[in-house]
Amino acid sequence: MRCEICGKKVIGKPVRTKIENSIMLTCNDCSKFGKVQREPPKPQRGPGRAPAGRRRSFRSQEPTHEVIENYQAVIREAREKNGWSREDLGEKIYEKVSVINRLESGKMVPDLKLARKLEKTLKVTLLEKTEQAQMDDQSAAHMRRATIGDIARIKKG
């Protein structure tokens, strides 16, 4: 973890600091630039609240994988190569035969979860990374995130 002010590596637990109405995770040195915040209390589980592990997250991210174009042929060929009927494949992945029929006829595109089940069971590749995900991987490998300290140096210089 790096300090959001100076960018130095934080040893141990970062300090939650309120600086100009923003809560930031900082190192001990940079915590003097704002007011140190104590950890918020853990919410009590009361009536009508979902257990901690079952709350929905509302992250809106671009999908990182797409189903390949000829997925239906790949599924059918892999199933036949294993000597399985559509019923056999349905039992192995806990799906109805009608789902397998619709997949192999191209009337249904598998969602991410179903595609991963099929990949694992049939030992095939049905998902490919989207162009955006590939570009994100490349840029993440070459850059680290900018900190407020970096921006301050840019404006100053």
Side-chain angles (χ1 to χ4, degrees), residues 117-140:
K117 276 200 294 191
L118 287 162
E119 283 182 330
K120 187 175 180 182
T121 304
L122 296 170
K123 295 178 178 62
V124 294
T125 302
L126 296 174
L127 297 171
E128 61 186 6
K129 279 191 173 182
T130 60
E131 289 179 28
Q132 184 62 42
Q134 289 172 350
M135 287 191 300
D136 289 347
D137 287 351
Q138 290 171 355
S139 64

Side-chain angles (χ1 to χ4, degrees), residues 45-78:
R45 261 189 73 197
R49 291 195 53 128
R54 297 204 176 178
R55 291 195 185 102
R56 290 182 164 220
S57 66
F58 293 98
R59 289 185 291 170
S60 60
Q61 288 184 335
E62 293 291 318
T64 57
H65 290 83
E66 295 179 341
V67 178
I68 59 174
E69 282 187 39
N70 62 335
Y71 69 91
Q72 59 270 48
V74 172
I75 293 169
R76 184 178 39 78
E77 288 168 15

